[in-house]
Structure formats: C-alpha cells, structure tokens
Amino acid sequence: MNKNSVSVRISAKDFAYQEIKERILKCEYTPNQPIAEEELAKDLKISRTPLREAMQRLELEELVVRQTNGRLKVAPVSVKEVRELFLVRSMLEGIIAAEAAEKCTEQDVRHLSYFANMIKQTANERDMEAVSTFGSQFHTYLYEVSQNKTAVKILRQLNDHIMRYRRLAHFIDTKETSFEHEALLEVIAKKDKHNAELMMKKHVLKAMEKAVTALKQYENTMNENE
Amino acid sequence: MNKNSVSVRISAKDFAYQEIKERILKCEYTPNQPIAEEELAKDLKISRTPLREAMQRLELEELVVRQTNGRLKVAPVSVKEVRELFLVRSMLEGIIAAEAAEKCTEQDVRHLSYFANMIKQTANERDMEAVSTFGSQFHTYLYEVSQNKTAVKILRQLNDHIMRYRRLAHFIDTKETSFEHEALLEVIAKKDKHNAELMMKKHVLKAMEKAVTALKQYENTMNENE
DNA sequence: CTTCGTATAATTGTATACAGTTATATTTTA
DNA sequence: TAAAATATAACTGTATACAATTATACGAAG
C-alpha cells in the first residue's frame, strides 16, 4: 500500500457519531425531538450496537439526553445554558490566549495575521458567514499554539454546543469582532500574557451578549407561533 | 410501592463504569496497565456489550486510552497533565466561587462554616485525610450554590483525575489549606464576588504546586527502581 | 363520556455469535 | 542460530437474538 495513504477504515460507531452530531448541530434534528435507536440504525444502515455507542457519546456530550424512561431526545436549549457555555468558554479561551502569547513564534504570528486580515476583509464585504469561519480558525490556531490539551478538549465540546445555538438563533458577528481580533493579535505578538487573557475574556463575553439576545428573540417568536 | 423509595435498578453498564472507575482512581489498576474486555467482563459477570459502553465512557473521560491497535490501557500520567488539570480547575473554581458568592444565602454560609470549622479542627489534629475530605465537601457545596451545571460537570471530571494523582503521588493538604478556606468563607459571606474569584484561583494554584512537587518525586523514585 | 384495566406493540438493555484484525507461537529457510 | 514465513491464538468490532421495560390501543365498567 502507498505509504502516504492513510487508511481511514472508519468504524460504524464513529461514522454514526459524526453523522448524527452534524444533524443535531445543523438543527436538522430540532431540540427535544425524540430519537428511536432502531429507526436511526436502519437509516444509517448499521446495527444498534455501534449506534448505541455513538448515542452514548452524544449523550455524555449532552447533545442528546436520556429521559427517565430510557429513551433519547435531542437536548433542549435554554438561555441559562448559553450563558454558562460562554462564561466557561471565556475563562478557558483566556487561559489559551495567555499560554499562546507565551509560546507563539514569529511564524505563528504570521498565521494569526492572515486570519485577522481575512476577518477584516470579509467583515468589510459584509460576508458574516466568512467572518465567523475565519474567526473560528483564529481561535483554533491559538488552541494549537497553547498546547493545553485539557482546555482544548473542553473548548471543542463547548464550541459544538455554541454552534448549534448559532444555527438555531442565527446570531452573527459584527464589525466589532474584526477589531477585537486585531487587538488580540497585537498583544499576543507582544507576548503580553496578561492583556491577552483579559482581552480574550472580554471578547468572548461580548459574543455571549449577542448570543443571549438572539436566543431570547428566537424563543419569543417560537412562543408566538404556538 | 412506597413513594419515598427510589428504585435503583442500576444497569450493568453503570455498575461496570462505577466499579472500573473506582479501581482506576484508587490505582488498583496502574497507569498504562492493559485491559482486555473479555477478561474484565467475566470478572464483573456481565457481557461485553454493556462493558464496552462503560469502557467507552471512561475513554471519553480519558481515564483509559485506546491504543492504535484498538486495545485499551489505563491512562498514563504526566506532570504536564497535572498542571493543565489544576490550571483549568483554578479558572472554573474561580467562576464557581464568584457565582456562589453572588447567590449564597445565610443558611449556605452556615453550611460552609461547618465545613471550614471541620477543616480547621482536623488540620489541628493532623488528620490530613479528613482535611482533604472536608475540603472536597466545602468545594462541592459551592458547586451546588453556584448552580452552574456546565462548569460543575467539567469540574467533577477534573477532580476525578486529580484524585487519581493524589492516590498515586500521595500529596496532601497542609495547615495553610485550613486558613485559605477560612479566608474564602469570609469573602463569600460578604458576597465579595471579585475577591472570592481571585482567592479561589490562588487557592487552587497553590494546590497545583504541591501536586507537581509530589508527582515529580514519585516519578523519580519510579525511575530509580527500574 | 370518562376512567380504569388489560392486551398488544414498540423500545431499550443485555447476551451471544461471528467476522475481521492484531499479536503470538511455530515452522521453515538461509 | 537468526530471520522470515506461516499458522494459531487472542482480541476487538459488529450483527443479531432475546429478555425486560415502557408506551399505546382497545374494551369494560362506572
């Protein structure tokens, strides 16, 4: 076999996990929607054994919840949860920013500059979908630089949940976001740990306010339609 | 059925999870020790299906790791991981302390006083095992008061890992710990969010230093004996 | 018409069997 | 004797079958 080709014999369990997770994050499966194992297994053309393992993983990540009768449903949403997600995220992103400021090389700064520039450019073009994408890449790059596996693992899960809320309540970035990333880059390049942490925390907490506002609006329109 | 009696028909999966987790946290299963599903299932007198679900949960919590050949072993330990665990924990305990300071009632303060007093008393008696136990209860009580499910869930997992390191490297609390809890109680009772957060962070980071020192010593003795 | 009880169906939890893969033991060859 | 090749054993991944639980449909009683 070609040495460069990585054999990606993906297991049924992992396939199911990825597939179902995507459906939940994209809100194809809506909050509180019930899920039956047999039906889903048939749909994915696998047996219940690996499906159950996939579902358990999603359950532990709290993207699905198990009811007292043992049956599964897609996790509910709440303003309280959004606040918690962003509050915890702000602290962990703060750690990451500080550690990244400490460890980043000149090449890392160049990479981050690229993302910051793309954020600025797409923000000017009012392409907020792209702003969000490059924003994620900016943060994800910091994750790598920080080398803090414990924090990064938690952050990835938090970000999954946040992604679902984003799709659900349609909250988007603003022009401010662009400036914030530029300012962050600046202090990180200066290896200013302390300010990197503070600014990152504030940056994330600002995003929280947008998210909360959007979700409240979403919940209002939902209540009107019932 | 009596309304007060809670039916605790524990599943084979949950039984296995609890049992194996305990063995790992108590270091009956040592770091890097291989685990075979068949053998363990026989030992616990259950089939591989629920055992695998239990093992997957432990794997996701990183108390066991899956090797490239698909086989499981007890998670390794490292100084780097200890630092990450405590650093993340310090931030989350900081959030918790701030939120608890905001929300705590007079009765909560009385409960916390009890724990703080027991910490002081047992510290005076040099019963460091008891100090550790009441210390945990002090923190756990704050978790409840904070009502931050997201942070608490993560903290419980971090604390499991920390417990394993404690058992492995035998690091214990000191007299200082006692004073720190008293001081924490004081600012929380005054509902001083800001200082509650700062002091809690410092408190946890102090514990980190003890843990790191103890683990390094443990690793040294391990290397000498090989 | 509603409520209760019972039978039936649907769903989850667990055991077992088997297929596919990886490691180990054995044999063969130089 | 050492290395390579092959056979055997051990182990994991998945499917299927069955047991236990929960929900639903239906009929009887009030």
Side-chain angles (χ1 to χ4, degrees):
Chain A
M1 187 196 281
N2 185 336
K3 258 197 170 179
N4 291 326
S5 78
V6 186
S7 69
V8 275
R9 231 189 264 87
I10 190 169
S11 64
K13 175 182 76 172
D14 289 346
F15 161 71
Y17 168 75
Q18 289 172 16
E19 180 65 28
I20 301 162
K21 180 167 152 184
E22 188 175 324
R23 292 182 188 179
I24 293 173
L25 297 190
K26 289 191 172 170
C27 298
E28 294 168 24
Y29 291 170
T30 59
N32 298 304
Q33 178 177 331
I35 299 177
E37 292 177 1
E38 191 82 57
E39 186 190 338
L40 191 47
K42 252 189 215 162
D43 180 18
L44 298 178
K45 296 172 180 32
I46 61 175
S47 77
R48 274 181 58 224
T49 307
L51 178 77
R52 276 177 61 84
E53 294 181 352
M55 294 313 289
Q56 181 189 270
R57 184 168 172 191
L58 292 168
E59 186 194 346
L60 293 171
E61 293 177 2
E62 295 182 38
L63 288 171
V64 304
V65 297
R66 196 169 290 276
Q67 301 167 96
T68 46
N69 60 12
R71 302 187 178 184
L72 294 165
K73 66 171 188 178
V74 177
V77 293
S78 74
V79 172
K80 181 167 185 292
E81 195 200 30
V82 175
R83 285 193 195 280
E84 289 181 11
L85 290 170
F86 274 95
L87 182 56
V88 172
R89 184 185 159 208
S90 73
M91 299 303 267
L92 299 189
E93 291 270 7
I95 293 178
I96 295 294
E99 293 186 334
E102 201 170 25
K103 292 176 180 165
C104 79
T105 65
E106 286 180 22
Q107 203 194 340
D108 292 329
V109 173
R110 281 195 293 276
H111 272 103
L112 289 168
S113 295
Y114 167 73
F115 295 127
N117 283 334
M118 291 308 289
I119 291 169
K120 189 177 185 178
Q121 186 181 315
T122 51
N124 282 331
E125 295 162 356
R126 303 281 186 283
D127 182 357
M128 290 316 181
E129 192 65 35
V131 172
S132 168
T133 303
F134 287 114
S136 290
Q137 290 184 27
F138 185 95
H139 288 265
T140 304
Y141 194 89
L142 288 180
Y143 296 173
E144 303 300 328
V145 176
S146 79
Q147 294 179 318
N148 187 323
K149 286 187 187 177
T150 302
V152 167
K153 188 191 169 199
I154 300 167
L155 276 167
R156 291 198 191 282
Q157 282 191 29
L158 294 174
N159 288 335
D160 282 340
H161 282 262
I162 288 169
M163 175 64 78
R164 184 168 74 122
Y165 278 102
R166 187 185 293 277
R167 290 285 170 104
L168 197 72
H170 304 293
F171 56 87
I172 55 171
D173 291 311
T174 63
K175 200 80 184 269
E176 274 183 303
T177 318
S178 170
F179 300 136
E180 287 167 23
H181 282 102
E182 279 188 326
L184 266 168
L185 172 61
E186 207 173 294
V187 292
I188 289 169
K190 278 195 281 188
K191 298 196 166 295
D192 181 352
K193 267 183 81 162
H194 186 68
N195 277 312
E197 182 171 339
L198 286 182
M199 289 178 57
M200 179 61 91
K201 279 195 210 170
K202 279 195 181 168
H203 168 61
V204 174
L205 291 179
K206 267 197 181 172
M208 170 164 93
E209 292 312 323
K210 286 177 210 155
V212 167
T213 306
L215 185 62
K216 280 182 178 169
Q217 199 175 335
Y218 167 82
E219 287 188 341
N220 283 339
T221 58
M222 285 288 111
N223 291 336
E224 280 167 22
N225 295 350
E226 73 180 8
Chain B
M1 188 196 280
N2 185 335
K3 257 196 171 179
N4 291 326
S5 79
V6 186
S7 69
V8 276
R9 234 190 259 82
I10 191 169
S11 65
K13 175 182 77 174
D14 289 346
F15 160 72
Y17 168 75
Q18 289 173 15
E19 180 64 28
I20 301 162
K21 180 168 151 183
E22 187 174 324
R23 292 181 188 179
I24 293 172
L25 297 190
K26 289 190 172 169
C27 298
E28 293 168 24
Y29 291 169
T30 59
N32 297 304
Q33 179 177 329
I35 298 178
E37 292 177 0
E38 192 83 56
E39 187 189 339
L40 191 46
K42 253 191 214 161
D43 180 17
L44 299 178
K45 297 174 181 28
I46 60 174
S47 77
R48 274 182 59 224
T49 306
L51 178 78
R52 276 177 62 84
E53 293 182 353
M55 294 312 290
Q56 179 186 279
R57 183 166 172 194
L58 292 168
E59 185 194 347
L60 293 171
E61 293 177 2
E62 295 183 37
L63 287 171
V64 304
V65 297
R66 197 170 289 277
Q67 303 168 93
T68 46
N69 59 12
R71 303 189 178 181
L72 294 165
K73 65 172 187 178
V74 177
V77 292
S78 73
V79 172
K80 181 167 184 294
E81 194 199 31
V82 175
R83 285 192 195 281
E84 290 181 10
L85 289 170
F86 273 94
L87 182 56
V88 172
R89 184 186 159 208
S90 73
M91 299 302 268
L92 299 189
E93 292 269 7
I95 293 178
I96 295 292
E99 293 186 333
E102 201 171 26
K103 292 176 181 166
C104 78
T105 65
E106 286 179 22
Q107 204 195 338
D108 290 330
V109 173
R110 282 194 292 276
H111 272 104
L112 290 168
S113 295
Y114 168 72
F115 294 128
N117 283 334
M118 291 308 290
I119 291 169
K120 190 178 185 177
Q121 186 181 316
T122 51
N124 281 331
E125 295 163 354
R126 303 281 188 283
D127 181 357
M128 290 317 184
E129 192 64 37
V131 173
S132 169
T133 302
F134 287 113
S136 291
Q137 292 185 26
F138 184 94
H139 288 266
T140 304
Y141 194 88
L142 289 180
Y143 296 174
E144 302 301 329
V145 176
S146 79
Q147 295 178 316
N148 187 323
K149 286 187 186 178
T150 303
V152 168
K153 188 190 169 199
I154 300 167
L155 275 168
R156 292 198 191 282
Q157 281 191 31
L158 294 174
N159 287 336
D160 282 341
H161 282 263
I162 289 170
M163 175 64 77
R164 184 168 74 122
Y165 279 102
R166 187 186 293 276
R167 291 285 172 102
L168 196 73
H170 304 294
F171 56 87
I172 54 172
D173 291 311
T174 63
K175 199 76 183 274
E176 275 183 304
T177 318
S178 170
F179 300 136
E180 287 167 23
H181 282 101
E182 280 187 327
L184 266 168
L185 173 60
E186 207 173 296
V187 293
I188 289 169
K190 280 194 281 188
K191 299 197 166 292
D192 181 351
K193 268 184 79 162
H194 186 67
N195 276 312
E197 181 170 340
L198 285 182
M199 288 177 59
M200 180 60 92
K201 278 195 210 168
K202 278 194 182 168
H203 169 60
V204 175
L205 292 178
K206 266 195 180 172
M208 170 164 93
E209 291 313 323
K210 288 177 210 155
V212 167
T213 307
L215 184 63
K216 280 182 177 168
Q217 199 175 336
Y218 167 82
E219 287 187 341
N220 283 338
T221 59
M222 284 290 109
N223 291 336
E224 279 167 20
N225 295 350
E226 75 179 11

